[in-house]
Amino acid sequence: MSKLWRASPLTYFALIAAAGLSVFPIYWMFVVASRSSDAMGQLPPPVTPGGNLGANIARLFANTDAYFLTGLINSAIVAITVTASVVLFSTLAGFAFAKLRFRGRNALLMVIIATMMVPTQLGVIPLYILMTKLNLNDRLPAVIMPALVTGFGVFMMRQYAGQAVSTELIEAARVDGCGTARIYWNVVVPALRPAAAVLGLLTFMTTWNDFLWPYAVLNDPENPTVQLSLRALSDGYYQDMSQVFTGTAIATLPLLLVFVLFGRQIIGGIMEGAVKA
Amino acid sequence: MALHLDARPPATPASRDTRPSRAGRLSRIDAKYSPYLYIAPFFVIFAIFGAWPLVYTFWVSLHEWDLLGSDPVFVGADNYTRLLADSDFWHSVVNTLGIFVISTVPQLLLALWLANLLNRQLRLRTGWRMAVLVPNVTSTAAVAIVFGVLFGREFGMVNWMLDLVGIDGIGWKSDRFASWVAISAMVDWRWTGYNALIFLAAMQAIPRDLYEAAAIDGANRARQFWSVTVPLLKPTIIFCVIISTIGGLQLFTEPRLFHSGTNAIRGGPMRESQTMTMYMFENAFAPYYNFGYGSAVAWLLFALIAIVAAINVLIIRRLGAGARPDNGKRTGGPR
């Protein structure tokens, strides 16, 4: 680790270019969001923020085609519910797979890994039929229910619990008369907290970002998620691009906020997951 | 034990004898069966919302099955034979593969290069990592809309910059190949940094003395990269290729929102960039509501993913096998 190659000026030049390309589209999104709608017709394109953000936001929230506020609230409900559920069930199952002995453990773990390979598209039509039968079409439970567990989450927690939860501590707790439930709560949960936080962040971002399944099952334009509001905005017949970009900027903001606050942990989680995969 | 028994009143040891055994039995039951309780939520929910749909899609694909019509009619392989003769379907297959190839190859090469840059003594280490990852944490739908504007014909920034260097405006949304390039740019923008971080993690696990040995053997930096770093990264490269294959062939949000308006689900008026998932949507939902036909598309998509993933693994195995004996010869030679 210590004997890394020294970075040359050329390295920094290349990194600045890469970072610039990475950040620019996001920056420009905020530029257009803060300008009036004729900014789109200007050449050269404007690259500094204007003073129109407030007016654009007001117009966006008043737009009766997009139901943007409903979309924001719906997305928050869906993302928070799904995140809580995935973290809870993944830590439970991850703990069991890593630290408890039971018949069929390895076979069941293989099943979980296999589930990670199945493309979501394959389930869209049957899930739609199922939701129609359950009378849940156009309602949030239809979006939430299929996302309540992920194979990825279980696998990630299992890998982490294997090394983070000390077997001696579990045995000591057992000798002291703890049941497995108390061991989970008092020994495992505290040890898993850092990884569970990363899983929670990743799950929140994925869920907030999801488009395909909500697009299939939420057809009522008055009850969208925020990504569906964006679709309604961009498919509209008018070309009020500053309003559309205000929408994309607001829809991206929670993700950027999470990233600015927890970027270090997210990067650590991605890199750690890779080493073990 | 016996001494204690004698020394104490008989009532206490008797209750002592039964209490631990009852608790012991309980804790044995707890240890034996509670693991199933902990993994049950995953399997129950997955069975309903993951496994069952998988099988059921196949069942649906064997039927004439539409949303509004009467009862589904079993038609056997009809949907599949119709699909194999459907030129719009093949068009979407070619689009999907085309976009996949021109996005994945540069993306993974760029990611390798970027990881190599990040794997140095850098000031602001975390800052650089965050900067290259930030595209990955944006909203896909938002990005697709923004790129749709950047690649606009008249006032798009990309055409404006091309104009500055004397290249005429390109119809990014109306030309088939150009629309593939624009969508690939979007995908690469989003995923290159993510893959770079995965490669970076694997690079950091490579022991430094391998490079020192290679340097003593006279290998320059580029040679070290191709003969030490890349072969040792093989498992990680395979992992990233498979992840990119699964993701790349499923592309939907980006091409769907790159186009807006009436032909959006068709990927432009002439289906310029309609992917297989978009074709599935067009058939299964609005405007056709033909669940059977859409399900058949979904299964063929799954088959395609499996085939492409297998081909990828074979190719990479080959490449790796070529590099390893080469490596062995080199270290064996001087000795």
Side-chain angles (χ1 to χ4, degrees):
Chain A
M1 280 292 268
S2 56
K3 291 182 82 181
L4 288 172
W5 288 303
R6 193 156 299 141
S8 66
L10 210 64
T11 310
Y12 282 106
F13 181 76
L15 280 175
I16 288 169
L21 278 174
S22 295
V23 174
F24 180 76
I26 304 167
Y27 169 75
W28 189 66
M29 179 167 85
F30 283 95
V31 167
V32 178
S34 68
R35 284 179 164 264
S36 64
S37 49
D38 53 347
M40 292 308 304
Q42 289 172 16
L43 290 177
V47 288
T48 51
N52 250 22
L53 185 62
N56 291 341
I57 292 176
R59 226 166 49 254
L60 171 67
F61 281 96
N63 185 330
T64 49
D65 291 331
Y67 296 93
F68 201 78
L69 187 61
T70 316
L72 280 175
I73 294 168
N74 281 345
S75 283
I77 293 172
V78 170
I80 289 169
T81 315
V82 167
T83 302
S85 160
V86 166
V87 169
L88 172 68
F89 291 142
S90 298
T91 49
L92 274 174
F95 157 55
F97 277 115
K99 292 290 165 183
L100 302 177
R101 323 231 138 254
F102 54 94
R103 199 186 282 260
R105 186 172 76 158
N106 291 334
L108 290 171
L109 188 65
M110 286 310 292
V111 171
I112 288 190
I113 294 170
T115 64
M116 291 157 66
M117 301 283 180
V118 178
T120 43
Q121 276 88 336
L122 219 48
V124 167
I125 294 167
L127 282 177
Y128 186 89
I129 296 173
L130 177 70
M131 293 308 166
T132 311
K133 290 208 169 118
L134 295 175
N135 234 342
L136 288 173
N137 266 336
D138 296 332
R139 295 174 52 198
L140 291 189
V143 182
I144 293 170
M145 276 153 57
L148 288 175
V149 293
T150 60
F152 168 76
V154 175
F155 186 68
M156 179 178 164
M157 286 302 118
R158 184 255 178 195
Q159 297 297 84
Y160 190 80
Q163 44 140 350
V165 181
S166 115
T167 310
E168 289 77 24
L169 210 57
I170 291 181
E171 273 159 13
R174 249 194 227 293
V175 170
D176 287 351
C178 269
T180 359
R182 275 196 65 185
I183 292 176
Y184 167 74
W185 191 249
N186 290 336
V187 179
V188 177
V189 167
L192 286 184
R193 198 165 285 154
V198 173
L199 176 65
L201 294 170
L202 292 177
T203 308
F204 179 86
M205 295 197 296
T206 318
T207 315
W208 180 272
N209 199 8
D210 194 18
F211 180 77
L212 180 92
W213 173 237
Y215 180 61
V217 81
L218 295 182
N219 291 302
D220 177 3
E222 293 186 32
N223 192 33
T225 63
V226 72
Q227 313 298 341
L228 295 180
S229 292
L230 290 184
R231 185 204 65 88
L233 276 176
S234 77
D235 276 359
Y237 288 105
Y238 50 82
Q239 284 295 317
D240 184 355
M241 281 325 266
S242 62
Q243 187 192 325
V244 176
F245 273 48
T246 306
T248 61
I250 293 177
T252 312
L253 212 52
L255 300 175
L256 290 179
L257 212 65
V258 165
F259 189 59
V260 168
L261 291 176
F262 304 103
R264 205 179 281 268
Q265 285 90 324
I266 293 170
I267 289 170
I270 290 174
M271 291 179 59
E272 197 151 315
V275 176
K276 282 170 205 144
Chain B
M1 271 297 252
L3 273 173
H4 278 260
L5 263 175
D6 288 340
R8 289 178 185 216
T12 320
S15 77
R16 243 198 199 170
D17 250 353
T18 54
R19 214 194 291 135
S21 80
R22 198 191 301 139
R25 217 181 307 134
L26 274 179
S27 91
R28 233 174 299 128
I29 291 172
D30 172 46
K32 200 167 177 190
Y33 296 107
S34 70
Y36 295 106
L37 214 61
Y38 298 154
I39 62 169
F42 174 86
F43 284 98
V44 170
I45 297 172
F46 182 80
I48 301 170
F49 299 107
W52 172 79
L54 199 69
V55 180
Y56 201 59
T57 318
F58 184 65
W59 181 240
V60 174
S61 76
L62 302 176
H63 290 75
E64 190 64 53
W65 190 317
D66 58 64
L67 176 66
L68 312 159
S70 46
D71 287 337
V73 182
F74 186 85
V75 294
D78 250 27
N79 285 321
Y80 290 94
T81 47
R82 257 176 66 207
L83 209 46
L84 294 179
D86 177 348
S87 61
D88 285 341
F89 169 72
W90 287 111
H91 194 87
S92 77
V93 173
V94 173
N95 285 344
T96 307
L97 287 172
I99 295 170
F100 163 68
V101 170
I102 60 176
S103 66
T104 309
V105 175
Q107 175 189 318
L108 293 179
L109 289 176
L110 272 173
L112 262 179
W113 175 73
L114 201 55
N116 199 33
L117 287 181
L118 289 168
N119 193 21
R120 293 181 191 181
Q121 276 186 344
L122 289 171
R123 287 166 200 277
L124 298 171
R125 213 180 51 161
T126 310
W128 295 115
R129 291 179 185 179
M130 280 181 81
V132 300
L133 191 66
V134 73
N136 194 251
V137 300
T138 51
S139 146
T140 319
V143 165
I145 293 169
V146 171
F147 271 67
V149 172
L150 283 172
F151 283 99
R153 166 129 214 163
E154 299 298 327
F155 299 105
M157 203 181 286
V158 176
N159 271 358
W160 173 73
M161 275 159 60
L162 288 178
D163 192 50
L164 290 183
V165 293
I167 299 172
D168 277 346
I170 294 171
W172 294 106
K173 291 181 190 178
S174 54
D175 180 79
R176 196 179 181 195
F177 185 72
S179 72
W180 294 0
V181 173
I183 290 164
S184 299
M186 207 183 303
V187 175
D188 288 348
W189 179 78
R190 190 178 180 78
W191 290 103
T192 301
Y194 175 87
N195 285 310
L197 287 185
I198 291 181
F199 287 144
L200 175 63
M203 278 181 191
Q204 291 182 342
I206 298 175
R208 293 288 133 193
D209 43 359
L210 282 181
Y211 292 104
E212 276 156 26
I216 290 167
D217 287 354
N220 62 16
R221 188 74 69 75
R223 186 72 203 267
Q224 288 174 26
F225 179 73
W226 290 108
S227 299
V228 179
T229 310
V230 171
L232 285 171
L233 285 189
K234 209 178 79 180
T236 314
I237 295 176
I238 293 182
F239 171 79
C240 285
V241 167
I242 290 178
I243 296 292
S244 313
T245 305
I246 295 173
L249 294 176
Q250 288 182 42
L251 221 52
F252 176 75
T253 311
E254 290 91 341
R256 165 62 186 79
L257 286 165
F258 181 66
H259 300 277
S260 56
T262 43
N263 288 313
I265 198 68
R266 299 174 58 165
M270 304 297 290
R271 302 178 187 274
E272 284 84 358
S273 45
Q274 184 179 43
T275 60
M276 287 174 78
T277 308
M278 290 164 85
Y279 192 62
M280 182 194 94
F281 258 76
E282 186 191 0
N283 281 289
F285 302 106
Y288 300 122
Y289 294 107
N290 189 340
F291 284 168
Y293 205 57
S295 296
V297 177
W299 263 94
L300 289 182
L301 170 67
F302 189 39
L304 185 78
I305 290 175
I307 292 168
V308 175
I311 293 173
N312 279 333
V313 171
L314 282 180
I315 292 175
I316 293 164
R317 284 254 169 85
R318 263 275 169 78
L319 291 179
R324 214 186 289 138
D326 180 37
N327 235 0
K329 242 180 273 160
R330 235 165 20 81
T331 47
R335 258 176 226 165

